[in-house]
Amino acid sequence: MAINEELTTLKEDFLSRLPGSELITCHPSMVLARISRTAFKEVRVAIQFPADYPDNPLLVELKSKTLSARILDSLTKLCDEELKKWKGKQQIMSLLVFVKHFLDENPFIACSDEIMYIKKELVSEHDDLKLKQKAGIVSMTIRQQRYFLSVKLSVPDAYPTDAVSIEITECNVPPDLLLTFAGQSQELARRCVTPPLKPKPKDPPFEPSPSLQRVACLLANDCLRHCVAQKCSLCKKPALPDNPKEVVVDLNADMHVERIYCGHLFHFKCLDTYVKTPPFKGGKMCPVSGCGKRIYHDKWVTTKNTKLAEDRWAHEEARKRELSEVVDFLGL
Ligand SMILES: [Zn+2]
Ligand SMILES: [Zn+2]
């Protein structure tokens, strides 16, 4: 009798207490509810009454198509703990509201495996990682030699349908290199959640993909660690100075670091000489062994135009020849 009363109240109050969720089955043999915050943060709660209810706690089973098994396990344990506190009282509504609070207050449940990866695989003992659980913010500082990059990644409520937002808070690489870090990471995050403008006909329909781990790995590995470890393959010296305080900011200084399309780094002077020296046929290629990608760079128009490069080279050579003829003529 008491159970029937509880079920009647449950039916009456469900939607006002839990808007956006659904009471699927409401029967003395089984209560089934879908508790949801977003399309991704959704749990099915199956409830059965034990003998001697409400003196014994409800029997609860949780399922989710989106949340990880680890999250469901810990939520199940938390529910069992809570239920013990409500012995002797009506338990169903309290339980369902508790599950909803859990979904509301833990933004990281939508990316728990990614966070685990960042913690265990990406961040080393030299780095820092801070997780602001309630706000859904991952703050990390990655260090490589004397360089560092600090970034704040905020996980939005509608993750992974919406991408993480990225704020690089501090970094001591040269400013124009930092701009490429910011641009690349924004672009990656955008591509995770935005369908391509021109999808290929054979591609499956676009689905947003999780962006947190990919953006964190890009910034830590491909951007900071990779750039700091790189040598200019033309002079074999480190691309960046050992001491970040000696970073060259002047865009046209010999040792200014240039990043070309493939991601490899060179000193301005080294690359300038390479780009302006033949052969030009087929365009200039990245000299890093195993790369060989075409060089495109805004600073050198000639990297976009082979004919122009050849003309300029011929012109320069003719000028040198003329000069040497003058020199010969003067008998110097
Ligand atoms: Zn160099
Ligand atoms: Zn390359």
Side-chain angles (χ1 to χ4, degrees):
M1 194 59 205
I3 290 179
N4 281 330
E5 265 171 38
E6 185 173 353
L7 293 181
T8 308
T9 326
L10 179 68
K11 269 188 218 161
E12 284 167 11
D13 294 352
F14 187 88
L15 279 181
S16 63
R17 296 286 303 273
L18 296 159
S21 297
E22 184 192 358
L23 185 60
I24 303 163
T25 309
C26 187
H27 190 269
S29 64
M30 155 90 93
V31 173
L32 183 62
R34 178 180 56 78
I35 305 296
S36 54
R37 173 166 178 94
T38 65
F40 198 89
K41 295 173 196 164
E42 196 167 88
V43 180
R44 268 172 181 257
V45 187
I47 299 166
Q48 282 181 314
F49 296 97
D52 293 341
Y53 180 79
D55 292 334
N56 280 323
L58 292 168
L59 305 167
V60 179
E61 196 188 352
L62 304 179
K63 281 191 179 151
S64 173
K65 283 185 184 147
T66 46
L67 300 179
S68 73
R70 204 157 36 79
I71 290 291
L72 283 186
D73 266 5
S74 30
L75 179 55
T76 307
K77 280 188 195 124
L78 290 172
C79 287
D80 289 340
E81 285 303 305
E82 289 299 305
L83 285 165
K84 282 182 203 158
K85 296 181 195 166
W86 303 322
K87 272 196 243 175
K89 298 180 201 156
Q90 296 194 344
Q91 297 170 23
I92 300 184
M93 185 58 92
S94 306
L95 173 75
L96 297 178
V97 168
F98 177 77
V99 170
K100 179 65 168 33
H101 277 174
F102 180 86
L103 300 185
D104 288 345
E105 286 171 8
N106 292 288
F108 285 153
I109 55 174
C111 51
S112 58
D113 288 347
E114 294 177 86
I115 296 220
M116 201 57 105
Y117 181 90
I118 292 172
K119 219 169 170 174
K120 294 207 166 141
E121 307 290 334
L122 186 65
V123 170
S124 80
E125 56 194 2
H126 311 293
D127 306 319
D128 287 325
L129 178 68
K130 270 193 208 120
L131 302 173
K132 289 190 187 150
Q133 190 93 17
K134 286 253 152 74
I137 295 174
V138 179
S139 294
M140 62 175 196
T141 296
I142 301 293
R143 297 188 178 84
Q144 177 78 18
Q145 293 164 36
R146 292 163 77 181
Y147 289 86
F148 71 93
L149 177 143
S150 298
V151 64
K152 219 161 93 175
L153 300 168
S154 313
V155 179
D157 193 25
Y159 189 86
T161 313
D162 290 350
V164 282
S165 60
I166 307 161
E167 188 195 338
I168 299 178
T169 46
E170 239 190 315
C171 182
N172 58 356
V173 303
D176 55 318
L177 195 56
L178 181 56
L179 276 182
T180 69
F181 290 1
Q184 276 185 295
S185 52
Q186 297 287 2
E187 176 58 14
L188 176 63
R190 192 190 66 79
R191 275 193 210 169
C192 284
V193 298
T194 321
L197 276 177
K198 289 180 192 161
K200 294 186 186 113
K202 281 184 186 162
D203 282 353
F206 180 81
E207 288 268 0
S209 58
S211 48
L212 174 66
Q213 182 183 326
R214 289 179 69 190
V215 165
C217 289
L218 176 89
L219 284 169
N221 292 337
D222 304 337
C223 291
L224 188 80
R225 288 171 182 159
H226 181 63
C227 282
V228 175
Q230 258 197 73
K231 288 189 168 151
C232 165
S233 82
L234 294 164
C235 69
K236 316 289 180 209
K237 289 182 193 142
L240 290 164
D242 284 347
N243 185 352
K245 293 207 170 101
E246 289 163 15
V247 148
V248 178
V249 182
D250 177 357
L251 296 181
N252 294 314
D254 287 358
M255 294 301 274
H256 181 264
V257 173
E258 303 294 337
R259 183 183 180 281
I260 60 175
Y261 183 70
C262 57
H264 287 119
L265 302 182
F266 301 91
H267 301 115
F268 172 76
K269 184 71 190 164
C270 302
L271 191 60
D272 188 56
T273 308
Y274 176 72
V275 164
K276 289 179 179 164
T277 310
F280 300 113
K281 205 167 176 352
K284 296 300 278 188
M285 303 301 173
C286 173
V288 172
S289 72
C291 180
K293 290 216 176 77
R294 177 82 187 267
I295 297 178
Y296 291 100
H297 197 298
D298 289 341
K299 262 190 195 172
W300 291 275
V301 223
T302 52
T303 58
K304 295 176 184 161
N305 185 335
T306 310
K307 176 79 172 63
L308 185 64
E310 279 169 350
D311 290 351
R312 284 208 181 157
W313 169 257
H315 181 80
E316 185 63 20
E317 287 302 291
R319 204 177 61 85
K320 279 190 208 153
R321 247 191 335 271
E322 272 169 26
L323 268 179
S324 65
E325 278 162 16
V326 175
V327 172
D328 285 348
F329 173 74
L330 291 175
L332 294 167

